[in-house]
Every structure is written in structure tokens, then in C-alpha cells.
Amino acid sequence: MEIVRLVLLFGHLAGFAAMVGGFFYQMRIKQPEIGSYMIGGAIGQAVTGAALIGSRYALDLPVNNPKMGVKLVLDLIVLAVAIAGTRQRVKSPGMFYAAGVLAAVTAAVAVFWT
């Protein structure tokens, strides 16, 4: 079960890399927009994050439920913002920057909330 948890953790980090890497890549462009990689990364983070919580319970590892709740809500907000940003007829950079900043806030919660 430990190998499953590590694979899920790798997938969770890959989702974060897709979100933040795509954000920094698109910042070079005059009119940045949310790409499918950002939506895929947000979906990956939400799914693997929920599965990581389940794997920690299965392995009898401690789970900080308030932290996990905040991270899950932030992941779902990032996903909603990313989807809304791609559905706009007129591309405004507001949704793009909101998705990138919220992804960074989610990482900050993961790192600094002990």
C-alpha cells in the first residue's frame, strides 16, 4: 500500500507541476490564457489528493483533517476557475492569474501548515 501512496503523491506533484508550469509558461505571452494542461493538472490534483487522504487512512497514518479540507476546497476552486477561464468568450487575464495564484496558495498551505 505504501507504493500506491507514493505513486499517488507523484501524481499529485505532477498535477501541481502542470498547473504552475503552465502558468509560468503562459505568462510570457501578451494575452495569457488557461490551457487544457491547467485543467488536467487541477483535476489530477483534486483526484490524487482525495486518494492520498484515503491511502493515509488505510495505512493508519495521521491525517490533519482541517488542512486536508482547506486543500480540497482550494483544489476545487482552482478547477472551477480554470474551467470558467476556458469557457469565456472574451479571454480576460483575470481568471488566468486567479488560477495560478490559487494553485500557489494551495502549495503554500501544503508546505507551511504543519
Side-chain angles (χ1 to χ4, degrees):
M1 187 67 177
E2 179 66 15
I3 190 74
V4 172
R5 187 183 74 80
L6 293 174
V7 169
L8 289 170
L9 181 60
F10 177 78
H12 195 66
L13 293 174
F16 173 73
M19 282 290 302
V20 175
F23 176 74
F24 284 122
Y25 179 75
Q26 284 288 322
M27 280 182 53
R28 304 177 308 124
I29 300 171
K30 186 180 274 189
Q31 287 291 343
E33 60 184 40
I34 296 173
S36 61
Y37 45 84
M38 293 180 81
I39 293 174
I43 291 170
Q45 277 199 298
V47 169
T48 57
L52 276 168
I53 294 170
S55 70
R56 290 187 68 84
Y57 277 119
L59 291 170
D60 290 328
L61 296 173
V63 178
N64 186 344
N65 287 321
K67 175 183 175 181
M68 295 302 112
V70 168
K71 279 188 50 60
L72 182 60
V73 167
L74 284 171
D75 284 339
L76 293 176
I77 291 172
V78 168
L79 178 59
V81 168
I83 290 172
T86 58
R87 303 248 184 232
Q88 288 180 338
R89 290 186 186 265
V90 177
K91 301 293 183 190
S92 70
M95 291 290 200
F96 169 77
Y97 288 112
V101 168
L102 285 171
V105 168
T106 302
V109 167
V111 171
F112 294 114
W113 187 344
T114 56

